[in-house]
Amino acid sequence: MKSFSVSTIIILAVLFLLQSCSTTNPRYVSSPSVPNTTFFREKGDMKFAVSGSAAPFSLEKYNYSDNKDYNRNRRSVYGFDGQAAFALSNHFILAVDGVIRNEEDKYNKDDLDVTNDRSVISYNRKMINGAIGVYAPLGVSQRAWFNFLAGVGVGKSTSEDNGYVGNSLKTNRYLNADLFKINLQPSFNFFFKEYFRMSIAPRFSFLKYNNIQTNYSHADLKTTQYEALEGHSLPLFEPSIMLQAGFPGADWLKLDMGFHFSSDPDIGAYNLNSRNFLFSLGFSIYPYKRRD
């Protein structure tokens, strides 16, 4: 009985270790974008904006040529957003924006080939979005405004999943697809002082991967859970907080800073994730001078 108990413990320990070693590296299918917050208050207002975005610690350098670094995971996420918007009337808005994201995750194991020392998964996402919406003041003071934009986006996603032995590339896998996204974006804009504004934008999105092209095997698609992308729309909750500061004597120029979050898509595929947080910094130009 005693030997049976010891054998059982050994078997359970081995199974636990095997399960631990089979943990799958997450795959990222979405990144939040900077919301097109307009701060419009009257017909003829227009805005042009650019910003850079990054995830925390993206700028940390990482050198895989040194073997001592193999036991560490690293990521790099950065990109750019460009926006334009125009107030068609005192209540209606036309908006357009473009998004570029470059992302890279480095893992100290290859979850699809245990003979590899490590893997590097890179993503490139590009999208352009168009939207129409409404805006109106909340209260007679006009210090708080409500905006609502509804739009669609189209784009392209490419990804590479490379496995290495030492510094030599051993395996190369890819997954490319067309993107289609529906965005519903309410926002609450607050004009606190002459040169300081804030916007809270809880965006709701649905992202669809179409025309998927890949060289992953069927087993690999199942392991990574990429197979769940086929035929599913990914629901996403993408809230943002935008801060905007102005400068005396330059009403046309604003400095933008944002904090952007995203939920993971809830389709039962736990391995398909979103970038949960990005920070952005940029500026907006308002050619039409407004009263503050």
Side-chain angles (χ1 to χ4, degrees), residues 24 27 112 173-175 212-230 269 271-272:
T24 305
R27 265 57 177 187
L112 301 178
R173 316 169 192 93
Y174 66 85
L175 186 142
I212 297 174
Q213 299 177 347
T214 182
N215 66 347
Y216 283 94
S217 68
H218 178 74
D220 290 344
L221 289 172
K222 186 174 182 179
T223 298
T224 60
Q225 298 189 326
Y226 272 144
E227 65 176 2
L229 292 175
E230 191 72 43
N271 202 56
L272 301 183

Side-chain angles (χ1 to χ4, degrees), residues 36 84 86 93-97 129-133 148-152 183 185:
N36 200 338
F86 179 71
I93 303 172
L94 181 65
V96 63
D97 61 86
N129 304 279
I132 58 174
F148 182 84
L149 289 173
V152 297
N183 297 298
Q185 180 189 299

Side-chain angles (χ1 to χ4, degrees), residues 7-23:
S7 300
T8 302
I9 292 173
I10 293 174
I11 291 172
L12 291 175
V14 170
L15 290 175
F16 175 79
L17 289 173
L18 289 175
Q19 179 65 29
S20 299
C21 293
S22 64
T23 302

Side-chain angles (χ1 to χ4, degrees), residues 164-200:
Y164 292 85
V165 175
N167 290 318
S168 300
L169 176 64
K170 181 184 175 185
T171 55
N172 171 264
R173 316 169 192 93
Y174 66 85
L175 186 142
N176 303 330
D178 297 325
L179 300 178
F180 178 79
K181 192 174 186 180
I182 298 175
N183 297 298
L184 302 174
Q185 180 189 299
S187 63
F188 301 88
N189 300 340
F190 302 94
F191 296 76
F192 291 118
K193 294 185 178 180
E194 184 176 2
Y195 298 110
F196 181 66
R197 306 165 175 172
M198 180 177 75
S199 178
I200 300 175

